[in-house]
Amino acid sequence: MRILVLSDTHGEVKSIDKVRQHVGTVDAIFHCGDSELDASHASLDSAFVVRGNCDWDSSFPEEVVTEIKGVKTFMAHGHLLQVKSTMLPISYRAQEYDADLVLFGHSHLLGAEQIDGTVFVNPGSLELPRGRVEKSYAIIEKSPVEWTVTFFSDEHETLEQGTFEIAEK
């Protein structure tokens, strides 16, 4: 499994399009909210997208739960789950869905961690990064034995990479 995760692009369609073109074939594309685009915008075509606190198109769902190649994925922007102050609400919500992978944004801070066997990823922001100067996105790959989360700059340079064992939940 190989997926692209974007968030907090705040109307910057050139960055979205550039990243989508550069990464090539993926099994799915996820945008964790604050695209500030209409749901029908071509830059979001074929992507799973949630509504962020800066999105005004009410046709975006608040949450997405889907399965990609056997991986149950839960995505929310994070503003309704207080991700800027604690991971507890989003981790409880992930447990309700029995999610293997959780994707979220809102804080504009990139990061990945594993909590009770579930991998949580915030790709950072492709427009207004916090905590570092580089704008960012993530590619998540799953093999039979591990997850690999790689964060890239908008210039497609590797910023960070983490691996997590596939854990029994």
Side-chain angles (χ1 to χ4, degrees), residues 39-147:
S40 62
H41 196 283
S43 295
L44 300 177
D45 188 42
S46 303
F48 294 98
V49 184
V50 291
R51 185 176 183 190
N53 57 299
C54 293
D55 290 316
W56 306 113
D57 187 334
S58 62
S59 66
F60 289 125
E62 297 290 347
E63 299 178 345
V64 166
V65 178
T66 191
E67 193 166 313
I68 306 293
K69 295 205 169 197
V71 174
K72 192 170 225 183
T73 303
F74 164 60
M75 177 176 61
H77 183 58
H79 63 298
L80 300 176
L81 295 166
Q82 295 81 44
V83 298
K84 284 186 178 180
S85 58
T86 177
M87 291 296 287
L88 282 174
I90 199 167
S91 64
Y92 290 151
R93 193 73 171 140
Q95 287 175 14
E96 290 173 9
Y97 289 124
D98 194 28
D100 302 304
L101 178 63
V102 176
L103 308 173
F104 66 100
H106 187 54
S107 70
H108 298 214
L109 297 166
L110 66 79
E113 65 182 300
Q114 191 171 40
I115 302 171
D116 296 328
T118 300
V119 175
F120 291 74
V121 177
N122 183 331
S125 172
L126 259 181
E127 180 56 19
L128 303 164
R130 292 188 186 127
R132 62 187 316 138
V133 297
E134 301 93 352
K135 299 173 181 183
S136 61
Y137 65 94
I139 295 287
I140 302 172
E141 297 172 288
K142 181 181 178 275
S143 75
V145 296
E146 70 184 6
W147 296 92

